Structures are given as structure tokens and as C-alpha cells.
């Protein structure tokens, strides 16, 4: 056969392109697939040729970058730097020339690669361009079939990945040296002394030569809010030549004495910025004033040069150069402060808003406050007052990490009682701010027990939140005073209501509207509390004035004056409070007497505050003043809440349900004790046998009495004597009688379950949700009743114990709902004549830690009900005692002791 090269003229078309031959002429799809395989094979061949030739260019580029990142260019003289850069650039270009001389691989080379990589014999790629040696019909047909089969094999070939075999050109692996150098330099490039690529093409800063006649005094003054001392860069106290870490916005000052006046001070930023030249302060002042045309008078040669001062604010890392000396600065960024709520804002007893917060800053907080924004404001509404200000109390020292609690009385603001959004904002010394996530709540307001006072306060709120609603407020005032002889028995209150209406009608500007709003608030407070509200306001103002004086570090004379005003305001408030307590109901006074603060205690606290302030410990004085303010906020004696007839009926029904729950708990406890005793007696009979038949008649009589049940109305009323008698009866009962007695207890258990169901329905009628614990207790009671009906005392005791636990948990849930409802109504637990838990602030204990006497139900919170493990352990102990007693102990004393343990007589 002959090759295609022998008949070249016949293999090209008119355009000079090679015509498809062999199987490619009959199968164009195979021709396209083979052409794609050859193209990828050519790319692989070219990559294998280029890769070894890139070792030198990449190594030279790595050395160039390493020198730049290590910062060596900036320390080289200009002639050395330019020489090295020229050599490296020239070498890089020279090593690129061999790569440019490479040629694109031919189809024949691509075909050989495909055949070699895939291990094909008979040259299936090149056979498409060959011709048979004998041109007969049979041989040509056979040859074409062979070409088609070979073409199909070519379409499935894969050129693979390039295999440059670089190790053959670099047998010593020297290529790893520039690679490691480049990686190390890249890591060093983030340090303070690192350089940049621009250093290779930038001349060294033109600084004056090192002149020994010039004296330099350089120092850095950190901002005052950081509390750091100045850093001296020169002199005996100067630090080393390492990088100096300074806070952001520190003040750098360089004082230069001597020289000829042409010296320069330059600052080179770390991040490839422009070289900055610092001007002396005198020249800078002339430039700032615009007097640039003023010429400096000529100086004689004998006149010395005046000292020059160069200053700048260090806001970024870099290097300062002055008279040949250099200092590298590492700026410590000033992070913004962070602040968050510590628990959610809550309402104090007297209606004040208490906000707990946690704040943090790297240098300390300067100020923190709460932004209170109203929600649901009508479009175009014009408020009479701006949102209330709520400044958070911060210590003057050690204020980097703060956890505090601030209380402010905002009940006087018209937004009180409306839904607001509260956001905490903290500000540091640099002016940066940090904000907390917003919290939405109803701003605590004052709860008026007098309906007339509440209506007047609402009239004030209507036009204070939107001045356009003044006609609505006037209409509300007129509606309140329609039938004064029936609704307003006090003539003075009626006249005050009419005067308020007149003022609202006459107010036409902002100032008059504010005076009217203040007048209405004074009327509401006077109707509600009389002079007590004015005394409370004076006390609150005195506390605020003293707190502000402590924060601004006022003089001792001013502190003493403010302390005297605080004492007078406290005395007036306590006097009004005592007068109110005389008019309070006796029952209310007895119940709240435990929460009354003594005048001596308050006087001692105020003396401690004054002593701490005089001794210079203003932070401790501020903290104690905050404690005094919170104590006064929680002071509720002398502020009895008046409840209407409906509220008294509601409280009475609630009290009845609580008493009923207490009775169910007591009866269930007694029933479980009786079930346990009968079950233990039955177990003893099963082991020891029934009593002697001699007293059968008496035993039968006692057994019947022991099994007889009391009427439902008399359940839970047995005394101690009755229980002892029952114990004596069980000692004489047979096993069958004990089983019958257990079955007879089912009626009592079912009756308790029915009472619990009635209790749940009664709670629903009062608008309370009984909770799942009561439902669980009812299920356990039902299971215990079924076990009693079958005479299974052990299962019954277990169910009764679970029912008691569920009842106690349900009682706690119910009391929690009652407390929450009372707080929403502005009352406190234990407040008023119908208080549910008015036992003071010591968890129901007296100052000596002893439980106080109560008149309400006992939920048994201090008594732990034995769980299943405890019951099982007690059962095992009893079994061990019975076994030891059954073995007939030799000693009479030991036998009697074991019988006493088992209560056997």
C-alpha cells in the first residue's frame, strides 16, 4: 500500500485544505469527533513543552515578589535597587523567549499521542490517510471496512492530562527554594515591617542626613478616653526600635531643635499610600489662615534656628522618618461598643421603668441611653412632648465591661401606657456608637384607683400625643361631667374638672398646650394621692439632681447641699406616707407592715452616700443612690389599692378556688397515707398469717369498722386519736378484711377526682386555664381508684403519689397565672385586703428565718412527696426487717425492737 504523502496532490481541495479521506469521507460525524480529540491532544502536547520552560520565569518572579514583600527594596540604596530590578526584569524577559519559539503541534503528532496514550496498535489514526497497494475492488472494499473500524476506535480515545516530567529537567528539586521563599514572604507581607511591590520602583524618601547637632524629642499621646500614658520615642525612657503599638487617633509630636531648617519629617503608610510630608505647626497655621504670601524675614547667619514642632494624628499604621531616625507604628483599631438587654425591661412596683443592660467597650463607655419610640402613631400627628429621655447609669471608672440596672419613673410622660420600641445605644470616647436589638413593650404607666383621676389623665394623653385631638379631649371632659351629682360627689373635684375644660378651650399655642397638660396632670395626682404625689415628685427630682452631680464630679459643697435637699424631700415623703397609712384599712396595714422601711434605715443609707461622696468614692455613692431609688420604687406601704365591688367578688371567688385546691391536696395526702398503711398491713398478713381466732368476734367487729367509710362531707376530718384507733384496728384485721378495706377506699378516690374536675371548671369560669398538670392529676386519680377497686394497694399508692406531685405543680402554675394577672392590673402579690400571698419580701419567713403563720391553704411546697424510688427503698427495708423477725432472733430485746419498727403490738 502507499501513503498519503505519495499522492499529496490528490488530498487537497481548491482552497488548499485537506479533504477527508478514508472512513472520514463516508462518516462526517466520525471526522468531527476525531478532530476534537486531536485538538485536545495538541493542547496536551503544547502544555508538556511549555511547563519545563516556565521554571526559570516563575522562579525569577518569585524572587522579585519575595524581595518586595520582605521590604528589602525600601532599605537598599537606589543604585543597588535599580540594578537588582534590572537584572531580574531582563532575566525574566530572556527566559520567556524559548517559550515564544514553540510551535503548534501537527495532526501527525496528535495522532501519535492518542495512539501511545491509549496503547493502540496498527496506527488506527494514521490508517485513515493511507491507500492500499493493490487497487482491486475486493481490496478497496476490505480496506474501507478496516478504516471504518479504526475510526470508531479513534472516537473513543482520551488524550489524558499533561505529563511534563519536570523532574527530568530539575533533578535537584531546586524549584522548591523560590516557592518556599514566596510563601514565607507572603505571610510576612501582613506584618508591620513588610514592603510592597511599589517599593521596587519608588526611590527612598529624601530625608536629611543624620545630623548630630539636631536634637529630636518625639512622643505619642494616646487619646484621653483610653486612659493610657504617653509613649516616649526618644530619650532615656524611649522604648526599643520595634514597632510601637498605639491606639487609633493618637497624637504624634516631634520637636526638632537645631539644624538649618530644611529638615523634613515624612510618614509612609503601611498600605502602599502616598508619602506624606509633615509641615511645622507654624507653617501649617499660616497655610490654614490663608496668609501664604507672607515672606519670612531674612535671618542672619549668627541667629539660631527656632525649634520646630511637627504633629499628626496617627490613624493608620506606617513609618515616621525624621533626621535619619525611623519609628514604625502599629495602630490598634478602636472597636465600636456593644450593648444588650440584661433580661427584658420591666415595670417596678411604683410604675417606674427598670432596664437591665450589659455593655462592653475596649477603652470604656462614655455615655449610654435608651431610645424610646412610639408605635402606631397616626400619620401627620404632632406630639406635644418629645419622646422621654432614659439615661443609663454608668460607673465613672472600670466602665469597660458593665452590667447595670437603671430605674426611671416615666409615668408622667403622655406616652406611658402606650406601646413603644426601646433600643439601647452606647457611645465610647471616640464617638462610635453601638445599638442593641429593639424590644417592644407597653411603657409602664401610673395606675389610678380613682376613676375621675384616670379620666383626667386620659384627657391629657389624648391631646398630648396629637394636638389635633383637642376637640376629642374636650368632648371626653364634657361627657365625664354630665351628671356630677351622681358621679362626682366631691365639689372641689368637679370645679377642677370644669377649670381643666376651660383651659383646654383657651389653649391655642404650644406653650399654652403644655401648661394645660401639666395642669391636668397635677389635678389627676391631687385627686388620687393628695400631697403624697407632690412629695414623691420632689423626692425623685432630688435623687436625679444628686445623681447628676455625682456623675460630673461636683464639689463637696454642692454635694452637701443636694444631700440636705434629699433629706428634706425624704422627710416630707415619709410624713405624707405615714399620714396615708393612718387612713388605710387596718387589715391592709397589718398585711403590708412587713414591707415598711424605717426612717432610721433611710437615714443611715443617706449618711453612707454622703460619706462615700466626701471620701472620693463617687462610684460607690452612685451605686448606693441607685439602690435607694429602687427601694423607694418598691415601697408600697401606704399606697393601698382600692378595689371595686366587682374586683372584690373576683378575688373572693379566686380565694374560694384556692381553698378548695388546698382541701383536695390535704384529703389526697391522707388517703394516700391510709392506703399505704392498709397495703403494708396486708403484706404483713400475707407473710405472718391472720390473727388468732380467739378474738374473732372482736376482730370481725373491728374489721367492719375499719372498712366502713365516712360520708363524703366528713372526709379528711379525723383527728390524731382516730388515726391511732385505725392503726389498732388494722392490727386485728384479716387479709380478706384488709383487701375489702382497700376496695372501700375507691369511693373516696373517685370523689376527689370529681372535686378536681369541678375545680378545673371553676377556674375556666374565672378566665383561667387549669393547665395540663391538673388533667394529669385527674388521670392518676382515676388510675389509683381502679387499682383500689382491684385491691392493688401498691399501684394505688404510686398513682396517688403521682397525683399529689401533679396537683402541686398545677397549684404553682395557677399561682403564677394569678400573680401575672395582678401585675397586669397594676397590683402586687400580697397587695390589698384580698391579697393571695401577702407575706412580705422574705418568701414567707420572719427575720429569724422561721415560717410565718398563714391563713390560706397549705400546698405542701416544703414537704417532698416520696417518689417511686423512695417507696421501693422503704419497701425493701420493711421486707428485710420482716425476714429478720421471721428467723426468730435469739434476743428478746432485739425481737421487741424489730416489732416496734414494724409497729407490731
Amino acid at each position: 500500500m502507499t501513503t498519503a504523502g505519495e499522492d499529496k496532490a490528490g488530498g487537497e481541495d481548491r482552497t488548499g485544505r485537506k479533504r477527508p479521506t478514508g472512513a472520514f469521507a463516508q462518516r462526517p460525524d466520525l471526522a468531527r469527533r476525531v478532530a476534537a480529540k486531536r485538538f485536545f491532544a495538541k493542547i496536551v502536547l503544547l502544555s508538556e513543552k511549555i511547563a519545563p520552560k516556565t521554571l526559570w520565569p516563575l522562579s525569577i518572579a518569585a524572587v522579585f515578589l519575595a524581595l518586595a514583600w520582605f521590604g528589602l527594596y525600601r532599605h537598599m540604596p537606589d543604585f543597588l535597587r535599580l540594578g537588582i530590578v534590572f537584572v531580574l526584569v531582563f532575566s525574566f524577559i530572556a527566559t520567556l523567549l524559548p517559550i515564544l519559539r514553540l510551535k503548534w503541534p501537527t495532526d501527525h503528532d496528535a495522532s501519535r499521542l492518542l495512539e501511545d496514550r491509549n496503547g493502540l496498535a496498527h496506527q488506527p489514526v494514521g490508517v485513515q490517510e493511507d491507500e492500499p497497494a493493490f487497487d482491486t475492488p475486493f481490496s478497496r472494499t476490505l480496506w474501507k471496512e478496516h478504516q471504518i473500524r479504526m475510526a470508531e476506535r479513534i472516537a473513543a480515545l482520551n488524550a489524558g492530562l499533561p505529563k511534563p516530567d519536570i523532574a527530568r529537567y530539575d533533578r535537584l528539586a531546586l524549584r522548591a527554594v523560590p516557592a518556599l521563599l514566596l510563601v514565607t514572604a507572603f505571610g510576612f507581607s501582613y506584618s508591620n515591617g513588610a514592603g510592597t511591590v511599589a517599593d521596587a520602583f519608588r526611590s527612598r524618601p529624601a530625608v536629611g542626613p543624620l545630623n548630630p547637632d539636631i536634637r529630636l524629642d518625639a512622643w505619642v499621646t494616646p487619646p484621653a478616653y483610653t486612659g493610657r500614658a504617653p509613649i516616649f520615642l526618644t530619650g532615656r525612657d524611649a522604648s526599643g526600635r520595634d514597632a510601637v503599638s498605639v491606639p487609633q487617633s493618637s497624637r504624634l509630636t516631634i520637636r526638632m531643635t537645631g539644624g538649618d531648617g530644611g529638615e523634613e519629617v515624612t510618614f509612609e503608610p503601611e498600605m502602599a499610600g502616598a508619602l506624606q510630608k509633615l509641615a511645622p505647626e507654624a507653617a501649617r497655621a499660616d497655610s490654614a489662615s490663608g496668609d501664604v504670601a507672607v515672606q519670612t524675614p531674612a535671618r542672619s547667619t549668627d541667629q539660631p534656628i527656632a525649634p520646630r514642632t511637627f504633629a499628626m494624628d496617627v490613624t493608620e499604621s506606617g513609618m515616621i522618618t525624621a533626621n535619619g531616625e525611623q519609628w514604625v507604628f502599629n495602630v490598634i483599631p478602636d472597636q465600636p461598643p456593644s450593648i444588650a438587654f440584661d433580661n427584658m425591661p420591666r415595670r417596678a412596683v411604683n410604675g417606674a421603668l427598670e432596664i437591665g443592660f450589659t455593655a462592653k467597650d475596649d477603652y470604656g463607655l462614655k455615655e449610654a441611653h435608651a431610645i424610646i419610640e412610639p408605635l402606631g402613631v397616626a400619620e401627620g400627628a404632632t406630639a406635644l412632648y418629645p419622646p422621654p429621655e432614659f439615661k443609663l447609669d454608668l460607673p465613672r471608672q472600670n466602665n469597660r465591661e458593665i452590667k447595670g440596672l437603671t430605674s426611671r419613673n416615666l409615668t408622667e410622660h403622655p406616652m406611658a401606657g402606650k406601646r413603644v420600641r426601646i433600643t439601647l445605644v452606647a457611645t465610647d470616647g471616640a464617638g462610635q456608637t453601638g445599638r442593641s436589638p429593639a424590644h417592644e413593650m407597653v411603657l409602664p404607666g401610673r395606675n389610678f384607683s380613682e376613676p375621675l383621676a384616670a379620666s383626667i389623665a386620659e384627657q391629657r394623653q389624648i391631646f398630648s400625643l396629637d394636638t389635633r385631638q383637642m376637640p376629642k379631649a374636650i368632648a371626653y371632659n364634657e361627657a365625664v361631667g354630665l351628671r356630677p351629682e351622681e358621679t362626682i360627689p366631691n365639689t372641689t373635684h368637679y370645679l377642677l374638672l370644669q377649670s381643666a375644660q376651660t383651659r383646654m378651650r383657651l389653649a391655642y399655642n404650644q406653650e399654652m398646650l403644655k401648661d394645660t397638660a401639666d395642669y391636668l396632670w397635677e389635678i389627676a395626682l391631687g385627686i388620687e394621692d393628695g400631697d403624697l404625689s407632690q412629695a414623691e415628685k420632689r423626692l425623685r427630682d432630688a435623687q436625679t439632681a444628686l445623681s447628676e452631680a455625682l456623675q460630673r464630679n461636683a464639689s463637696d459643697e454642692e454635694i452637701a447641699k443636694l444631700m440636705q435637699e434629699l433629706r428634706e424631700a425624704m422627710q416630707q415623703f415619709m410624713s405624707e406616707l405615714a399620714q396615708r397609712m393612718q387612713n388605710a384599712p387596718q387589715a391592709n396595714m397589718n398585711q403590708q407592715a412587713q414591707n415598711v422601711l424605717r426612717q432610721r434605715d433611710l437615714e443611715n443609707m443617706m449618711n453612707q452616700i454622703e460619706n462615700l461622696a466626701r471620701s472620693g468614692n463617687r462610684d460607690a455613692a452612685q451605686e448606693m443612690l441607685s439602690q435607694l431609688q429602687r427601694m423607694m420604687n418598691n415601697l408600697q406601704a401606704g399606697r393601698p389599692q382600692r378595689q371595686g365591688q366587682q374586683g372584690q367578688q373576683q378575688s373572693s371567688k379566686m380565694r374560694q378556688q384556692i381553698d378548695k385546691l388546698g382541701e383536695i391536696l390535704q384529703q389526697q395526702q391522707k388517703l394516700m397515707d391510709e392506703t399505704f398503711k392498709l397495703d403494708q398491713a396486708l403484706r404483713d398478713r400475707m407473710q405472718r398469717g391472720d390473727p388468732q381466732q380467739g378474738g374473732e368476734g372482736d376482730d370481725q367487729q373491728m374489721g367492719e369498722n375499719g372498712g366502713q367509710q365516712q360520708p363524703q362531707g366528713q372526709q379528711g376530718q379525723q383527728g390524731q386519736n382516730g388515726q391511732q384507733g385505725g392503726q389498732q384496728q388494722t392490727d386485728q384485721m384479716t387479709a380478706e378484711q384488709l383487701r375489702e378495706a382497700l376496695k372501700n377506699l375507691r369511693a373516696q378516690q373517685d370523689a376527689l377526682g370529681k372535686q378536681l374536675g369541678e375545680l378545673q371548671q371553676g377556674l375556666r369560669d374565672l378566665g383561667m386555664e387549669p393547665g395540663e398538670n391538673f388533667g394529669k392529676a385527674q388521670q392518676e386519680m382515676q388510675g389509683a381508684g381502679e387499682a383500689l377497686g382491684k385491691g392493688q394497694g401498691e399501684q394505688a399508692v404510686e398513682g396517688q403519689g403521682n397525683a399529689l406531685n401533679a396537683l402541686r405543680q398545677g397549684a404553682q402554675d395557677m399561682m403564677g397565672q394569678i400573680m401575672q394577672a395582678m401585675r397586669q392590673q397594676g397590683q402586687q402579690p400580697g397587695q390589698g385586703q384580698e391579697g393571695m400571698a401577702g407575706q412580705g419580701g422574705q418568701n414567707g419567713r420572719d427575720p429569724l428565718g422561721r415560717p410565718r403563720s398563714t391563713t390560706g391553704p397549705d400546698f405542701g411546697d416544703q414537704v417532698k412527696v416520696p417518689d417511686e424510688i423512695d417507696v421501693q427503698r422503704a419497701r425493701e427495708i420493711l421486707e428485710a426487717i420482716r425476714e429478720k423477725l421471721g428467723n426468730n432472733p435469739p434476743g428478746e430485746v432485739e425481737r421487741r425492737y424489730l416489732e416496734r419498727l414494724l409497729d407490731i403490738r
Side-chain angles (χ1 to χ4, degrees), residues 586-614:
Q586 184 66 26
N588 188 39
M589 291 176 60
N590 294 335
Q591 186 177 12
Q592 295 185 355
Q594 300 163 4
N595 289 336
V596 177
L597 287 175
R598 295 181 300 176
Q599 182 71 23
R600 186 192 309 168
D601 298 334
L602 297 176
E603 188 67 28
N604 291 337
M605 289 193 66
M606 288 187 289
N607 291 337
Q608 292 180 11
I609 293 174
E610 186 174 9
N611 294 335
L612 290 172
R614 288 181 176 179

Side-chain angles (χ1 to χ4, degrees), residues 843-846 849-854 862:
N843 297 326
R845 295 183 178 270
D846 63 7
R850 299 170 300 188
R852 300 182 186 274
S853 59
T854 60
Q862 305 299 329

Side-chain angles (χ1 to χ4, degrees), residues 550-617:
L550 291 175
Q551 288 183 357
R552 69 171 185 270
N553 199 14
S555 61
D556 294 340
E557 292 77 9
E558 184 178 357
I559 295 296
K561 180 181 178 182
L562 294 176
M563 283 299 305
Q564 183 62 28
E565 294 179 358
L566 178 62
R567 286 190 175 91
E568 295 175 358
M570 183 69 71
Q571 181 66 31
Q572 181 183 1
F573 177 76
M574 297 301 294
S575 299
E576 295 293 337
L577 202 59
Q579 185 177 359
R580 284 290 300 271
M581 288 183 63
Q582 294 177 0
N583 301 328
Q586 184 66 26
N588 188 39
M589 291 176 60
N590 294 335
Q591 186 177 12
Q592 295 185 355
Q594 300 163 4
N595 289 336
V596 177
L597 287 175
R598 295 181 300 176
Q599 182 71 23
R600 186 192 309 168
D601 298 334
L602 297 176
E603 188 67 28
N604 291 337
M605 289 193 66
M606 288 187 289
N607 291 337
Q608 292 180 11
I609 293 174
E610 186 174 9
N611 294 335
L612 290 172
R614 288 181 176 179
S615 63
N617 196 353

Side-chain angles (χ1 to χ4, degrees), residues 394-435:
L394 301 178
R396 295 187 303 114
Q397 298 177 356
N398 300 326
N399 54 357
R400 296 188 177 184
E401 293 188 8
I402 303 173
K403 182 177 181 181
L405 178 66
T406 302
S407 177
R408 295 283 186 271
N409 195 320
L410 304 180
T411 56
E412 187 175 352
H413 198 277
M415 286 171 54
K418 297 296 182 180
R419 192 159 189 84
V420 296
R421 181 189 298 112
I422 302 178
T423 307
L424 303 183
V425 180
T427 306
D428 62 3
Q432 302 179 103
T433 59
R435 303 171 71 93

Side-chain angles (χ1 to χ4, degrees), residues 658-711:
I658 295 175
D659 293 341
K660 188 175 182 180
L661 177 58
E663 294 176 0
I664 294 175
L665 280 165
Q666 294 176 2
Q667 294 177 15
Q668 183 64 69
Q669 180 68 49
K670 292 180 180 179
L671 184 59
M672 188 180 71
D673 295 341
E674 187 174 357
T675 304
F676 182 77
K677 292 179 180 179
L678 291 176
D679 180 60
Q680 294 301 317
L682 179 59
R683 287 176 175 274
D684 183 69
R685 295 296 176 271
M686 297 298 294
Q687 292 184 2
R688 298 174 56 85
D690 293 335
Q692 298 296 327
Q693 299 297 327
E696 183 177 356
D698 296 337
D699 295 343
Q700 182 69 24
Q701 181 72 20
M702 293 180 182
E704 292 175 358
N705 293 335
Q708 185 177 0
Q709 304 303 315
Q710 297 179 354

Side-chain angles (χ1 to χ4, degrees), residues 45 69 81 182 252 267 269 299 375 423 497 504 555 584 661 850 867 873:
L45 285 172
W69 286 339
R81 175 181 56 81
L182 179 65
L252 170 65
F267 174 74
R299 178 182 58 88
L375 297 176
T423 307
L497 181 67
M504 286 190 291
S555 61
L661 177 58
R850 299 170 300 188
D867 54 15
R873 179 60 178 164

Side-chain angles (χ1 to χ4, degrees), residues 205-227:
V207 298
L210 184 60
N211 190 349
D213 297 333
I214 295 180
R215 174 179 175 177
L216 289 179
D217 295 314
W219 66 92
V220 178
T221 305
Y225 62 84
T226 62

